[in-house]
Amino acid sequence: MKFEKIQAPKGVREYLPPESQSFEWVREQLIAPAKSAGYQLMELPVFEDTNLFSRGVGESTDVVSKEMYTFEDRGGRSITLRPEGTAGVMRAVIEQNLDRGQLPVKVWYSGQFFRAERPQAGRYRQFYQVGIEAIGTEDPALDAEVIAIADRGFKNLGLKNYRLEITSLGDAQSRAAHRVDLLAYIEALDLDEATAARAQINPLRLFDDKRPEMQSAMAKAPLLLDYLSPESAANFAAVQKYLTAMGIAFVINPRMVRGLDYYTGTTFEFVHPDLGAQSGIGGGGRYDGLMETLGGQSLSGIGFGLGVDRALLAAIAESTVPSQEFTSDLFIIPLGDDAKEQSLVLAQNLRNSGIQTEIAFGDRALKGAMKAADKSGARYVIVLGESELKEGVIELKRMSDGVTTSVKIGQLQEELRRTLSL
RNA sequence: GUGGGCGUAGCUCAGCUGGUAGAGCACUCGGUUGUGGUCCGAGAUGUCGCGGGUUCGAGCCCCGUCGUUCACCCCA
């Protein structure tokens, strides 16, 4: 009887050895700067009440209107796999009253996110993101710090070819004033039905259209940056000043559009040119009204999300991923039943003292076991057979050059710790 | 959701204008008694994504379907 194979769901990316080590490396590099800036881990559910996203992220966004994994649980509740991280953090902050203490609340998170999009290079239905949020303080210095933390993460990966784009969406008055003129401008354009519909939902989205005819049509459209209120303009200038002081290179992109509705003020995006169409490796911004929308007090926040999958692709494109050869310290080859039992005991003791130890399983021929040892990348090998058990002495073989040393079994741990300088 | 490319052994692929499949790598065993990486020898492995159709005959042609990939929309 042969059963049909089951495939992974469409559009998921999985990392198997040895690539999984590179993935883990990227994630750690991206998280490290947040930790060193005093941000603390928040471990959140991957599914939430659907209302959290429809209300928080915005009904008008593609993310909410057509990309969510939504289902009914057994109690008849509408549940959605999280498509982004900020809303969940805000929910937890409000629910657990974290905003009642020291502000800003500074947290980081990492994990899987889900969007039911058509997969493509660098775009998966389940993707991995590292993010931070700083909630409760309106200070352009905080905006600059958040951007600097993301930038540090990418620098940790050794990336050089990415660029940081920033802009400001201003405050409510700034956006309202701009919207009037932008709508008037768009009205004069001859748009196809789908594009006109998009303009209706959010006119800013037209700036993001990749079609050349739309690019040129929007070339002279009024820019939000030119409509910033004096306060917003001063705030944005301060952010730029701080970034410059920290030596962080950026370009101002007044046509930048973010896909989520809650952004206000400073927004930014990290773009890598070598990844194909999905070039954004991270992005974020300030959100003034989100917390209130979700039933909390009126506090502003700022944060980012960095795409771990895409950051890995970028690191691969720039050849900055360190070679992560898997190695262990010792490989034990037991010959015979007594030796097998002894090797388990020995390995346990060695591992307890910090020596990475593997065992050859399956009663293979010695030659085959040696090949396995070689492939495992183990630095040393011992064969544990009848004579070794009887005499209490083993030959410790160094795989790099084949040199062997006689060692008493009782002193093996000490000898290994010495030669491996543990 | 829309459009293009692709789908042959574990992996990378070959297979000419249709005649029922091959290479390299990897894997297993061996090259005399218990020691890897090189070399030599032997061996196992495919319902040619799946389902229909055309044909005397299809991996090669047609239709559908699934998957994958790239792009659009959108986004990390």
Side-chain angles (χ1 to χ4, degrees):
Chain A
M1 178 75 198
K2 192 169 180 184
F3 294 97
E4 206 175 324
K5 287 182 184 172
I6 296 171
Q7 299 175 303
K10 186 186 184 75
V12 302
R13 177 86 163 86
E14 39 196 5
Y15 298 92
L16 311 177
E19 191 192 20
S20 51
Q21 293 181 76
S22 302
F23 179 84
E24 192 180 14
W25 172 75
V26 170
R27 184 180 55 190
E28 294 310 314
Q29 299 310 307
L30 293 179
I31 291 171
K35 288 184 183 170
S36 72
Y39 289 71
Q40 293 188 285
L41 173 63
M42 197 176 249
E43 194 64 38
L44 297 167
V46 296
F47 57 88
E48 297 269 7
D49 186 321
T50 300
N51 287 323
L52 174 63
F53 303 114
S54 49
R55 195 150 23 114
V57 176
E59 296 274 15
S60 76
T61 61
D62 280 28
V63 168
V64 169
S65 62
K66 56 185 201 192
E67 295 172 2
M68 294 208 299
Y69 279 100
T70 299
F71 59 95
E72 198 172 278
D73 73 5
R74 297 192 180 201
R77 291 170 282 258
S78 181
I79 298 293
T80 292
L81 300 183
R82 60 182 182 184
E84 61 94 54
T86 304
V89 171
M90 296 307 283
R91 190 227 82 224
V93 166
I94 295 165
E95 187 173 349
Q96 307 298 337
N97 295 312
L98 300 185
D99 54 335
R100 298 297 186 82
Q102 272 283 330
L103 297 178
V105 176
K106 299 194 297 180
V107 298
W108 67 270
Y109 60 85
S110 77
Q112 288 86 348
F113 295 86
F114 308 86
R115 290 181 199 172
E117 302 175 275
R118 194 77 169 263
Q120 157 184 358
R123 186 171 72 189
Y124 311 110
R125 292 187 164 185
Q126 171 178 297
F127 54 101
Y128 206 99
Q129 222 170 287
V130 166
I132 72 170
E133 309 293 344
I135 300 149
T137 303
E138 279 187 82
D139 183 341
L142 182 56
D143 298 34
E145 168 173 288
V146 166
I147 293 172
I149 288 169
D151 186 64
R152 184 69 246 164
F154 292 129
K155 287 198 174 109
N156 281 353
L157 297 178
L159 299 182
K160 291 190 165 55
N161 296 346
Y162 69 90
R163 68 174 182 276
L164 164 60
E165 299 185 350
I166 65 170
T167 190
S168 172
L169 299 180
D171 50 27
Q173 302 98 296
S174 311
R175 286 192 298 283
H178 171 250
R179 189 184 168 91
V180 172
D181 286 1
L182 180 60
L183 283 173
Y185 179 88
I186 289 172
E187 196 129 342
L189 298 175
D190 183 25
L191 299 177
D192 61 87
E193 206 173 313
T195 312
R198 280 206 295 140
Q200 205 65 38
I201 293 166
N202 184 348
L204 286 174
R205 294 264 155 75
L206 296 198
F207 281 116
D208 216 17
D209 202 308
K210 287 179 183 172
R211 292 171 297 182
E213 64 271 26
M214 280 306 298
Q215 296 267 345
S216 54
M218 292 299 287
K220 291 190 173 137
L223 300 173
L224 178 49
L225 264 192
D226 297 326
Y227 289 74
L228 292 189
S229 65
E231 299 77 35
S232 289
N235 193 286
F236 187 46
V239 173
Q240 293 174 56
K241 192 183 78 166
Y242 296 142
L243 288 175
T244 302
M246 287 187 284
I248 293 170
F250 61 88
V251 295
I252 295 172
N253 178 4
R255 323 176 92 82
M256 191 171 85
V257 182
R258 304 279 310 149
L260 311 179
D261 277 353
Y262 50 66
Y263 286 114
T264 59
T266 307
T267 52
F268 54 93
E269 228 168 63
F270 291 85
V271 180
H272 200 285
D274 305 333
L275 300 187
Q278 308 305 317
S279 56
I281 52 176
R286 187 163 275 284
Y287 39 88
D288 288 336
L290 179 58
M291 194 166 188
E292 202 172 5
T293 304
L294 295 175
Q297 53 178 327
S298 178
L299 288 177
S300 177
I302 180 164
F304 64 63
L306 311 182
V308 179
D309 310 274
R310 289 185 187 176
L312 175 56
L313 291 174
I316 290 169
E318 290 200 42
S319 306
T320 65
V321 183
S323 67
Q324 322 242 354
E325 281 169 37
F326 185 80
T327 60
S328 51
D329 299 321
L330 180 71
F331 200 98
I332 302 175
I333 300 174
L335 299 176
D337 281 343
D338 288 348
K340 194 182 282 189
E341 183 177 321
Q342 284 310 305
S343 69
L344 285 167
V345 174
L346 181 59
Q348 194 173 40
N349 290 335
L350 293 171
R351 289 167 186 158
N352 286 345
S353 71
I355 296 165
Q356 291 174 40
T357 307
E358 293 190 65
I359 299 174
F361 293 107
D363 302 314
R364 312 176 67 186
L366 181 58
K367 179 169 177 167
M370 280 303 293
K371 286 183 92 162
D374 189 37
K375 294 219 176 66
S376 79
R379 283 186 268 269
Y380 291 90
V381 171
I382 62 170
V383 173
L384 204 57
E386 274 180 44
S387 60
E388 284 84 0
L389 288 179
K390 190 157 54 176
E391 289 160 33
V393 177
I394 48 88
E395 293 295 315
L396 180 62
K397 179 168 184 171
R398 185 164 63 201
M399 293 299 274
S400 57
D401 55 11
V403 170
T404 62
T405 317
S406 295
V407 181
K408 285 183 182 163
I409 293 180
Q411 290 172 341
L412 178 61
Q413 178 173 319
E414 196 182 321
E415 174 66 15
L416 280 170
R417 288 184 66 84
R418 194 178 60 73
T419 54
L420 295 165
S421 52
L422 288 175

